[in-house]
């Protein structure tokens, strides 16, 4: 295969792929909700909750009638699985506790550090996690226990109670829970899942962590979730009505899944429930990893599951991204016959589109500082930077937080 033919293939594939992504990015920018938190502007059932403070674990717990004007208001529980999250919880727990939820429950999942002590000192309700049962992933086991604890509250549970599962490293800004509940109610969601705004503090984090947004925003039109488009969810924040959670079997039904968020969302839609995916906006952010190596390990544990267990599909995805983002820059240096004038024009166009792709994704996600936008320059290198993720994900066993799982 000579360079001219390679150039035509790369140009055609890249233009088609990036053109489709541009359409999806535009659709999501126009139609996907983004949470907006504003302290002091709580509305609806959460106005009194935001004014009075948190429920259990708070020094100012409102009576049911105070929260909504009548005694049978749905309850809201923030449920946080935590394993060795001592330094993280020191930063994020004040945000959880300041949301005005009826209760904030932290499950200490056999931590080796002071996770439990930090959570108790902050005022959260803390559960000691039971030893993990065979066949369960750690997070699913922790979330199942949290759901059971929320169901065991003295007040009778209601079908419209809201269970919000959120990771310990997620940062909830003032008014975030109000924004989530308002959006959940307005969209009539049975499951509302949030992609928090990415927070990056080091160069290593910037290399691949923000690609999470780029992949999601450019791959699936969120407005078509209720139809035939692939469903997308994020386990960092998942809010269920109690009835919907029970209807899909909760975390018990996905006990061994490493991408439990996607499987729960798929089950929800299959059961006729409404899945709504929103951006965290100014309300909810997250610092997922603290560097490049931790980003590689973190993404590797889920990558195979996101490809439905197919290593062949995973390989195809890797090759496609190399073709689209890297090869257009490499082709001029390959030996052989040069490309035609038309092919050259297309290759110049796809180089520009590849650079803009990540920048536009960051703009949509609300990451608009100069360094955030400059991440677009990493576009040609991104497929190479992600190769270690694919290599690690291709192994038969993956490790996370001191536990190993069969992939």
């Amino acid at each position: 295969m000579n360079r001219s033919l390679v150039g035509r293939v790369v140009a055609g594939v890249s233009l088609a792929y990036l053109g489709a992504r541009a359409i999806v990015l535009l659709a999501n920018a126009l139609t996907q909700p983004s949470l907006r938190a504003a302290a002091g502007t709580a509305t609806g059932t959460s106005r009194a909750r935001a004014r009075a403070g948190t429920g259990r674990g708070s020094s100012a717990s409102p009576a049911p009638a105070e929260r909504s004007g009548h005694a049978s208001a749905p309850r809201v529980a923030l449920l946080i699985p935590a394993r060795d999250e001592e330094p993280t919880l020191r930063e994020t727990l004040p945000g959880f506790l300041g949301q005005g939820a009826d209760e904030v429950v932290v499950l200490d999942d056999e931590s080796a550090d002071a996770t439990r002590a930090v959570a108790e000192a902050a005022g959260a309700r803390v559960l000691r996690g039971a030893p993990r049962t065979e066949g369960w992933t750690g997070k699913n086991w922790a979330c199942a226990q949290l759901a059971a604890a929320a169901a065991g509250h003295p007040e009778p549970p209601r079908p419209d109670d809201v269970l919000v599962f959120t990771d310990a490293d997620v940062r909830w800004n003032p008014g975030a829970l109000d924004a989530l509940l308002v959006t959940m109610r307005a969209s009539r969601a049975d499951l509302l899942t949030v992609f928090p705004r990415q927070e990056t503090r080091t160069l290593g984090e910037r290399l691949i962590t923000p690609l999470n947004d780029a992949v999601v925003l450019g791959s699936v039109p969120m407005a078509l979730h209720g139809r035939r488009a692939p469903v997308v969810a994020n386990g960092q924040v998942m809010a269920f009505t109690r009835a919907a959670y029970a209807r899909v079997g909760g975390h018990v039904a996905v006990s061994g899944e490493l991408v439990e968020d996607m499987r729960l969302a798929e089950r929800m839609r299959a059961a006729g429930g409404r899945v709504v995916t929103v951006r965290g906006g100014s309300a909810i952010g997250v610092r997922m990893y603290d560097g490049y190596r931790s980003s590689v390990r973190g993404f590797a544990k889920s990558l195979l599951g996101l490809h439905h267990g197919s290593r062949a599909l995973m390989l195809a995805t890797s090759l496609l991204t190399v073709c689209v983002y890297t090869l257009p820059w490499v082709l001029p240096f390959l030996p052989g016959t040069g490309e035609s004038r038309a092919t050259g024009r297309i290759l110049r166009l796809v180089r520009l589109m590849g650079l803009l792709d990540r920048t536009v994704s960051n703009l949509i996600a609300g990451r608009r500082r100069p360094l955030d936008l400059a991440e677009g320059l990493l576009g040609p290198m991104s497929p190479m930077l992600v190769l270690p993720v694919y290599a690690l994900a291709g192994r038969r066993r993956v490790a996370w937080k001191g536990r190993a799982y069969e992939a």
Side-chain angles (χ1 to χ4, degrees):
M1 183 179 292
N2 61 37
R3 175 178 153 187
S4 177
L5 179 57
V6 172
R8 289 198 298 272
V9 171
V10 170
V13 170
S14 300
L15 185 61
Y17 181 85
L18 290 170
R21 276 187 57 84
I23 294 171
V24 175
L25 282 169
L26 178 61
N28 283 330
L30 296 175
T31 63
Q32 187 189 22
S34 181
L35 300 182
R36 295 183 180 180
T41 61
T43 59
T45 61
S46 56
R47 178 178 289 130
R49 181 184 297 118
R51 181 177 63 247
T54 60
R56 183 175 300 189
S58 169
S59 59
S61 178
E66 289 178 299
R67 286 195 303 271
S68 64
H70 57 85
S72 59
R75 296 179 55 80
V76 179
L78 274 177
L79 308 174
I80 308 160
R83 178 175 170 85
D84 296 333
E85 297 285 3
E86 175 188 350
T88 302
L89 287 176
R90 291 187 191 278
E91 289 191 31
T92 60
L93 257 179
F96 294 135
L97 293 167
Q99 295 302 318
D102 291 280
E103 60 177 345
V104 176
V105 188
V106 176
L107 185 130
D108 177 22
D109 182 17
E110 300 184 291
S111 297
D113 62 7
T115 290
R116 181 182 180 88
V118 168
E120 288 177 336
R125 177 187 173 195
V126 184
L127 304 178
R128 187 182 298 277
R132 182 170 58 98
T133 298
E134 186 68 26
W136 286 73
T137 65
K139 182 176 180 180
N140 292 337
W141 178 239
C143 287
Q145 293 175 79
L146 284 164
H153 193 274
E155 293 182 21
R158 292 169 45 114
D160 53 350
D161 287 349
V162 178
L163 305 178
V164 185
F165 297 90
T166 182
D167 288 354
D169 57 2
V170 177
R171 190 180 308 278
W172 288 62
N173 295 319
L177 182 59
D178 290 335
L180 181 149
L181 294 174
V182 167
T183 303
M184 191 173 186
R185 184 166 54 249
S187 62
R188 303 185 305 280
D190 296 289
L191 163 59
L192 186 138
T193 180
V194 181
F195 279 84
R197 181 178 293 175
Q198 297 287 339
E199 299 175 5
T200 50
R201 303 177 190 175
T202 67
L203 174 60
E205 293 170 75
R206 290 184 181 278
L207 294 179
I208 63 172
T209 301
L211 289 173
N212 190 54
D213 288 333
V215 170
V216 172
L217 288 171
S219 300
V220 180
M222 303 302 174
L224 299 182
H225 258 184
R227 298 175 175 84
R228 295 185 177 181
V231 69
V232 175
N234 182 13
Q236 292 171 332
V237 182
M238 299 187 77
F240 299 83
T241 63
R242 184 183 295 278
Y245 182 76
R247 187 163 65 246
V248 298
H251 285 84
V252 175
V254 294
S255 58
E257 294 283 352
L258 285 169
V259 286
E260 80 293 335
D261 44 9
M262 297 287 286
R263 303 294 92 88
L264 281 168
E266 289 165 357
R267 292 178 65 88
M268 184 68 71
R269 191 168 69 173
R274 182 170 175 78
V275 180
V276 175
T277 303
V278 302
R279 301 191 298 274
S282 63
I284 300 177
V286 67
R287 186 187 184 196
M288 291 179 65
Y289 306 113
D290 60 6
Y292 176 70
R293 295 175 69 178
S294 59
S295 298
V296 169
R297 291 193 301 269
F299 286 129
K301 69 178 170 57
S302 304
L303 190 63
L304 185 60
L306 293 173
H307 288 82
H308 299 279
S310 172
R311 288 176 171 80
L313 181 58
M314 198 165 63
L315 176 62
T317 300
S318 178
L319 293 176
L320 176 62
T321 57
V322 170
C323 174
V324 171
Y325 294 99
T326 305
L327 283 185
W329 296 88
V330 174
L331 281 175
F333 302 98
L334 294 180
T337 305
E339 65 271 351
S340 67
R341 183 175 300 177
T343 300
R345 285 198 297 266
I346 295 174
L347 286 173
R348 287 192 291 274
L349 175 61
V350 299
R351 289 182 200 123
L352 177 62
M353 293 175 69
L355 290 175
L356 290 175
D357 185 282
R358 186 162 167 179
T359 298
V360 171
S361 297
N362 285 354
L363 281 169
I364 296 172
R367 301 181 65 246
R368 297 170 181 171
R369 295 175 300 178
L371 282 177
D372 299 332
L373 301 181
E375 288 173 2
L377 298 175
L378 295 170
M381 295 179 287
S382 293
M384 302 295 104
L385 292 168
V386 176
L387 284 180
V389 179
Y390 283 92
L392 201 58
R395 297 179 180 179
R396 295 295 176 183
R397 291 172 67 85
V398 296
W400 185 247
K401 287 187 174 290
R403 291 167 172 158
Y405 304 103
E406 294 293 332

